[in-house]
Amino acid sequence: MSSSRAQARKLRALLASTGFLLFVGVMAVYSASSFVSITRFGNSYRYVLMHLVRVAFALGLAVVAFRLPYRFWKRMSLPIYLASLALMLLTVVPGSPLSVTLNGATRWLRLGPFMIMPSELLRLGFVLLTATLVSQRLVSPRSRGGVATILLLALLPAALMLFQPDFAGAVLLCLTMLVMLFLSEARLSHVMAIVLLLASLAAVAVAGADYRLERVFGWQNSENGLSAENFQPNQACIALGSGGLRGRGLGRGRQQRGFLPEAFSDFILAVIGEEAGFLGTSLLIAVMLVLSLSIWGIASDADDCFGSLVCGGVAASYTLGALLHAGVCTKLLPATGVPLPLVSWGGTNLIVTLLGLGIAANVARSSGRW
Amino acid sequence: MQRPGELTASRRRSRIRFVLFSVVFCFSIVTLSLFRIQVSSHEYYLSVADAQHTHTVQLEPRRGRIYDRSGYLLAGNTSVVTFEVYWPSVIQEQLPRIDSLVARLGDHALVGVPVERWSSNQTIARSVPLETASPILAGGVPAGVNWRIGSVRSYPMGEMCAAVLGRWSPDLCEGLEMSMDHLLRGEAGFTVVERSAFPGLHMPSLDAERRPSRDGVDLRLTIDSRFQTIVQEELQRGVDESGAAWGAAVVMDPWSGEILALGSYPVRSGSGCLAVNHCISGYHEPGSTFKVVTLAACLEEGVLVPSDTFDCSRGQIPVADRIISDCHRYGTLTIEEIAAHSSNVGIVKMVSLLPDSVIFSYCRRMGFGSRTGIELPGESEGILRPPDQWSGLSRASLAIGQEVAVTPLQLACAFCAIANGGRLVRPRLILASCDGERWRDWADLPASRALEAGTSSMVLRMLETAVEEGTGTTAAVPGIRVAGKTGTAERLSQGEDEYLSAFVGLLPAESPDLVIAVVFDGPDYEYRFGSALAAPAFATMAREILAVEPELAMGHGSSPDSELLAGRWGTE
């Protein structure tokens, strides 16, 4: 029963860190969005109210997922994957009545009052489907055919994402796929071959779009001057850097007043860094690490292969999203739009992440019961 | 039932352990990177952030306003709008809108229609009155057009008071505006606003320093704008009629030294700058008006009594190697008659009774040869040489107002001493000032004793005779007793005789309330005498001043509260 006690400890860490991140997220979204909200709606709380509604909805889903035995998702994996793939197709089909174009990219679908981002949903669908296929031995990750199947399951939607275009989403999906393969004990030679294949594909994708090329070349060089291609990351660095060790104080950030684009979604870490300083960001990073490690731990101690792989996929999805976001804000990576999971504005990401955590929590709860 | 190479929990755990290390490694890199940006490079990023977030705004002070003694505005500030175009942000389709904007600005526009593109920022209209600009601004301006509200100095009385006030603009400062600039200008302040990236959405910075602006001090002058207008218009009329080069006049309250009007015409030189204010500047031989100094000196020193007579029948008198003569042969004259007829011979005979040093000291005591200290720039002290530089002719010349240069203001002050019982008052232009909270009266300047009261009243009586039956009859004002002295100075200017026509009058003669000094320079020949030009101008000014302020005719101290002049609120 020691495994069960260890899982309970990890479950507590997961819940606590998730709650902390959600709380920080609400505060940060409020601070980062209040200026934009005032200019668009005349009050400061419009965005944070929407965010709170989404948090409540996502928490509800997470509680349901926590209550459901996780094996339920085995049956749901294929429908979820196919449904999200279909939604994804809708965004790509020209003239689709549901698709929404923002900032030159068609990544969203409007379903009644909600806007959803199918690429986020698809990542969860992929994780569930892969875990199901591998744990049911429908595909064998140690065979070429099995690896190719999993690769195809990821590359097909990734190609659609490039059409939207959503380069970051495609990268995130492919990296999640790599981790899934690795955890499914694919041969290392296969994994390395796929890494090389993906790297060359990424190079082609970057070279194929001017704005990506500019971002990659604008990244790191020309610290001086706010040239167009690295404007956003430079503004993020100004926000972080001007925060210093202790920060300017909560609610007193200046960069979100129009200087830092997408302040409350793709650059929320920069806003937090300006207001809470290095002390705040390092605390945040530590909590994010605790959350990541606790899911990995649950994956490691899971009773069965499916639970372990699903937890691994959720952990990979969360960790990679967080690292990409932090990497872009600190100019370690080229500029691209990735929300910080659990913290940023962005309903689909929040719902999918919390849903994944709910499943992981159920995995932890179920461990050692038989 | 596991096949070799299939999934096992232990192998999965070791792979997860590898992933865990990678995760910790990546998060460490992110943390290090955050440390580098937030702590190591904090200073650099803070300076970049401050440069794009904060913006220092100058807070312009309001220039002090200037009022006349009754509170009428003489110099104020008017809001005006400046229009600028930042051409790089003007798109071609907007050009017709800019054309129509320029057309609506009309005369204020600095550019013609159709407007031509400029490389960068261009001012298209300056000093547009707010009432013209507001309807234009209410309709919205095209993109690229910027406007800001500024302030220009306005003078409701136009040029009527310009001889005193001068003019102020950012690149020009004259007259009282210049001498009182240290009070009027106030002090600029600044505030730092935090900018947003959107135009117009700024907010004051919470922690940046700020300094409020301090508005300029408001001034209330001793000038009575009604008197000023009368004096200035009469000077203009006199100059136009007589062909004089200029005219200058001072109206003073002899008891307080307050200057009620100070006119000089022409007000502006050909270049548009303020012309010399001849009331306080320049060097003019006073002529016969100066004879009151000799008269007063002889009477005060007791070398003669009013009943003494002098033989002026020859009409001339030799002094040193020259001959000083009268216009007419008068015969034997009493002192009063000498004053009345302005007999040079009589005066020269009188002054021969006094030593040089005594006549010089009376000149000094009556304020000649030194600045009066009026609050205007460019005052000259005149010319009064000490006795050790005198020639044999000097004493006689001085006695009849030659070899001495004075300003009309000095003359007026000397006559004030005659009018007020012998006190030499210091002339003043500023009655009170307000630093934004309350009005504070400016202290009276100390007066010095020039003459005994008896002497001044004797001289006053003689001056009254001069107007009644002597040279000053043209200065008479119906219904009121006037005392005064004419003056006609002759000088050579570029080989031609030039004349200075002067009159200094006091009224009412029994207890004067006003001293008015009027001087015209270089009139046509028929206007050369003081009695022909300055005295009638005096009479017109006096008559009009009494018409707007009839109580002045009653004389000083006649009213129970002895406050006849407007605006003197419990001072003195």
Side-chain angles (χ1 to χ4, degrees):
Chain A
M1 281 289 113
S2 71
S3 147
S4 171
R5 214 175 299 140
Q7 289 292 62
R9 208 176 58 233
K10 285 167 202 153
L11 181 58
R12 278 199 300 276
L14 180 144
L15 293 177
S17 52
T18 303
F20 178 82
L21 289 173
L22 285 174
F23 175 73
V24 168
V26 170
M27 302 278 282
V29 164
Y30 182 48
S31 176
S33 68
S34 56
F35 178 83
V36 179
S37 178
I38 285 172
T39 58
R40 291 200 189 144
F41 304 112
N43 61 51
S44 64
Y45 47 80
R46 177 71 172 260
Y47 283 106
V48 78
L49 270 186
M50 289 165 77
H51 186 68
L52 277 170
V53 167
R54 288 163 183 190
V55 167
F57 180 71
L59 275 176
L61 278 184
V63 168
V64 170
F66 180 55
R67 296 273 172 196
L68 278 177
Y70 64 88
R71 288 177 188 82
F72 163 80
W73 299 101
K74 269 188 186 176
R75 271 174 286 147
M76 294 304 295
S77 59
L78 188 64
I80 289 179
Y81 179 82
L82 290 178
S84 46
L85 196 63
L87 290 174
M88 185 88 112
L89 269 170
L90 277 180
T91 65
V92 184
V93 173
S96 156
L98 299 175
S99 62
V100 177
T101 305
L102 288 177
N103 305 331
T106 312
R107 299 171 190 166
W108 296 267
L109 285 180
R110 184 179 295 283
L111 293 176
F114 302 106
M115 289 236 293
I116 63 164
M117 202 168 162
S119 62
E120 300 278 356
L121 204 55
L122 194 127
R123 207 159 62 243
L124 184 66
F126 170 80
V127 166
L128 290 175
L129 183 61
T130 310
T132 308
L133 291 178
V134 170
S135 63
Q136 300 289 83
R137 313 227 167 118
L138 295 172
V139 298
S140 163
R142 295 192 77 82
S143 69
R144 270 188 215 166
V147 169
T149 311
I150 294 173
L151 184 63
L152 208 66
L153 285 178
L155 280 190
L156 183 68
L160 288 178
M161 287 183 202
L162 288 182
F163 271 107
Q164 286 181 336
D166 182 7
F167 189 65
V171 167
L172 212 48
L173 180 62
C174 288
L175 290 175
T176 308
M177 181 262 293
L178 273 178
V179 176
M180 290 298 284
L181 275 179
F182 185 71
L183 296 182
S184 315
E185 293 181 64
R187 291 177 197 282
L188 288 178
S189 58
H190 289 164
V191 174
M192 293 310 292
I194 290 171
V195 167
L196 286 176
L197 171 73
L198 289 178
S200 49
L201 281 179
V204 170
V206 166
D210 280 345
Y211 80 96
R212 289 181 198 139
L213 209 57
E214 279 170 11
R215 283 184 186 182
V216 171
F217 281 105
W219 166 58
Q220 292 297 320
N221 60 25
S222 78
E223 182 99 353
N224 50 344
L226 301 174
S227 54
E229 61 267 23
N230 60 3
F231 178 79
Q232 296 187 359
N234 271 337
Q235 291 294 345
C237 282
I238 290 171
L240 286 169
S242 63
L245 185 66
R246 291 152 181 265
R248 292 183 49 80
L250 297 185
R252 293 188 59 189
R254 303 183 288 189
Q255 281 289 85
Q256 58 259 42
R257 295 188 203 139
F259 293 97
L260 183 61
E262 309 294 334
F264 48 102
S265 55
D266 297 344
F267 289 98
I268 200 147
L269 182 66
V271 172
I272 294 170
E274 187 181 9
E275 299 192 351
F278 178 69
L279 295 178
T281 49
S282 48
L283 175 65
L284 187 70
I285 296 285
V287 174
M288 279 155 50
L289 185 62
V290 166
L291 177 57
S292 176
L293 293 185
S294 59
I295 321 169
W296 286 115
I298 293 169
S300 175
D301 289 348
D303 275 348
D304 60 350
C305 178
F306 177 71
S308 175
L309 282 178
V310 167
C311 282
V314 168
S317 184
Y318 172 78
T319 311
L320 288 167
L323 284 173
L324 270 181
H325 180 94
V328 169
C329 284
T330 53
K331 262 169 92 172
L332 289 169
L333 298 171
T336 184
V338 189
L340 186 59
L342 300 180
V343 178
S344 283
W345 163 267
T348 317
N349 181 274
L350 196 63
I351 288 163
V352 170
T353 308
L354 274 173
L355 195 58
L357 291 176
I359 296 169
N362 183 265
V363 171
R365 194 168 79 153
S366 313
S367 294
R369 287 217 174 150
W370 51 85
Chain B
M1 184 66 217
Q2 272 187 337
R3 284 169 285 175
E6 272 304 319
L7 302 172
T8 62
S10 67
R11 234 191 289 173
R12 205 167 58 224
R13 281 204 189 101
S14 68
R15 287 206 169 186
I16 287 179
R17 210 168 296 131
F18 173 78
V19 173
L20 281 183
F21 283 122
S22 315
V23 168
V24 172
F25 176 73
C26 289
F27 273 98
S28 314
I29 296 219
V30 166
T31 311
L32 276 176
S33 180
L34 282 169
F35 183 84
R36 180 178 60 82
I37 295 171
Q38 296 200 271
V39 181
S40 307
S41 307
H42 171 59
E43 298 292 324
Y44 165 74
Y45 284 115
L46 189 62
S47 68
V48 176
D50 280 344
Q52 73 178 10
H53 292 146
T54 59
H55 172 54
T56 304
V57 178
Q58 288 288 322
L59 303 173
E60 294 298 334
R62 177 182 56 69
R63 191 169 172 82
R65 291 165 291 213
I66 304 177
Y67 301 94
D68 88 335
R69 63 184 304 121
S70 312
Y72 290 108
L73 190 66
L74 299 181
N77 306 294
T78 307
S79 294
V80 291
V81 181
T82 301
F83 287 86
E84 290 173 342
V85 178
Y86 184 64
W87 283 108
S89 49
V90 175
I91 51 173
Q92 201 63 30
E93 292 74 47
Q94 290 283 334
L95 274 180
R97 285 195 66 196
I98 294 185
D99 279 342
S100 75
L101 171 71
V102 170
R104 289 184 69 187
L105 289 169
D107 291 342
H108 302 288
L110 302 173
V111 292
V113 178
V115 290
E116 283 176 37
R117 268 185 178 275
W118 198 262
S119 54
S120 61
N121 216 29
Q122 185 187 18
T123 303
I124 57 166
R126 190 177 280 135
S127 303
V128 183
L130 201 56
E131 54 268 30
T132 310
S134 342
I136 298 176
L137 296 175
V141 291
V145 174
N146 303 308
W147 56 274
R148 54 191 155 80
I149 293 185
S151 170
V152 293
R153 201 70 165 154
S154 66
Y155 299 98
M157 281 185 66
E159 298 287 70
M160 280 300 151
C161 211
V164 178
L165 301 175
R167 195 169 36 173
W168 184 88
S169 71
D171 36 39
L172 183 79
C173 196
E174 310 166 322
L176 197 70
E177 293 269 23
M178 180 169 105
S179 57
M180 290 292 128
D181 189 49
H182 60 288
L183 292 177
L184 293 168
R185 68 170 167 240
E187 195 183 351
F190 63 86
T191 185
V192 178
V193 292
E194 284 195 357
R195 284 198 296 203
S196 77
F198 304 114
L201 293 169
H202 308 318
M203 57 184 79
S205 176
L206 291 174
D207 38 22
E209 62 173 320
R210 62 192 300 272
R211 194 181 71 207
S213 65
R214 189 173 53 75
D215 284 345
V217 171
D218 292 339
L219 297 178
R220 209 167 89 235
L221 303 188
T222 58
I223 297 285
D224 187 309
S225 54
R226 302 166 302 172
F227 300 178
Q228 179 73 23
T229 310
I230 291 167
V231 165
Q232 196 68 38
E233 282 180 343
E234 183 57 25
L235 285 174
Q236 179 174 359
R237 201 190 56 75
V239 167
D240 291 347
E241 186 183 297
S242 68
W246 53 261
V250 182
V251 181
M252 274 179 81
D253 173 2
W255 300 91
S256 62
E258 291 166 11
I259 293 176
L260 305 174
L262 188 131
S264 178
Y265 186 87
V267 178
R268 302 212 171 270
S269 65
S271 64
C273 296
L274 201 61
V276 172
N277 186 337
H278 289 282
C279 287
I280 58 163
S281 301
Y283 298 91
H284 320 299
E285 280 199 339
S288 306
T289 50
F290 202 73
K291 287 173 183 165
V292 293
V293 179
T294 319
L295 265 173
C298 292
L299 290 169
E300 176 115 351
E301 287 300 306
V303 293
L304 43 78
V305 292
S307 56
D308 284 348
T309 57
F310 290 88
D311 177 16
C312 305
S313 53
R314 290 181 60 199
Q316 57 181 41
I317 182 170
V319 180
D321 53 352
R322 265 193 60 193
I323 288 173
I324 292 174
S325 56
D326 282 335
C327 305
H328 309 284
R329 295 185 176 199
Y330 293 110
T332 300
L333 296 174
T334 64
I335 296 170
E336 196 161 359
E337 285 165 337
I338 290 172
H341 297 294
S342 194
S343 165
N344 290 339
V345 175
I347 289 287
V348 170
K349 284 190 171 176
M350 279 163 61
V351 83
S352 62
L353 302 173
L354 289 176
D356 286 355
S357 59
V358 171
I359 186 71
F360 175 74
S361 85
Y362 274 91
C363 291
R364 299 284 304 174
R365 279 158 70 177
M366 294 187 74
F368 295 103
S370 58
R371 293 193 180 90
T372 63
I374 189 173
E375 301 95 333
L376 283 177
E379 189 188 7
S380 55
E381 74 253 29
I383 299 170
L384 178 68
R385 290 177 297 152
D388 55 6
Q389 294 174 19
W390 287 4
S391 68
L393 186 64
S394 293
R395 183 169 46 164
S397 298
L398 198 65
I400 59 172
Q402 292 170 7
E403 286 193 33
V404 61
V406 307
T407 63
L409 182 64
Q410 284 175 328
L411 270 182
C413 287
F415 275 75
C416 283
I418 309 285
N420 65 19
R423 283 164 55 246
L424 181 69
V425 291
R426 305 263 301 273
R428 52 187 289 207
L429 267 173
I430 294 170
L431 209 54
S433 65
C434 175
D435 59 2
E437 287 171 19
R438 62 188 200 88
W439 284 95
R440 266 177 249 275
D441 290 333
W442 282 33
D444 277 336
L445 299 166
S448 56
R449 180 141 296 276
L451 301 170
E452 291 300 324
T455 314
S456 66
S457 64
M458 277 191 281
V459 176
L460 185 59
R461 256 199 321 278
M462 291 172 189
L463 295 181
E464 191 181 352
T465 316
V467 174
E468 279 171 0
E469 52 202 51
T471 53
T473 49
T474 49
V477 178
I480 189 166
R481 287 162 61 194
V482 175
K485 185 74 198 79
T486 55
T488 309
E490 188 180 348
R491 63 186 154 84
L492 273 176
S493 171
Q494 295 167 344
E496 285 183 36
D497 281 339
E498 287 272 7
Y499 296 90
L500 182 124
S501 167
F503 185 85
V504 187
L506 304 82
L507 75 167
E510 55 270 39
S511 177
D513 249 340
L514 288 179
V515 169
I516 307 178
V518 185
V519 178
F520 287 95
D521 184 66
D524 294 341
Y525 187 75
E526 64 266 35
Y527 291 105
R528 68 190 180 283
F529 291 119
S531 55
L533 179 56
F538 162 86
T540 311
M541 290 177 194
R543 204 168 54 240
E544 292 182 3
I545 286 173
L546 290 174
V548 298
E549 198 69 85
E551 286 190 323
L552 287 172
M554 296 164 70
H556 181 74
S558 60
S559 168
D561 57 358
S562 78
E563 294 304 339
L564 297 179
L565 289 164
R568 208 191 282 151
W569 299 336
T571 55
E572 199 178 5

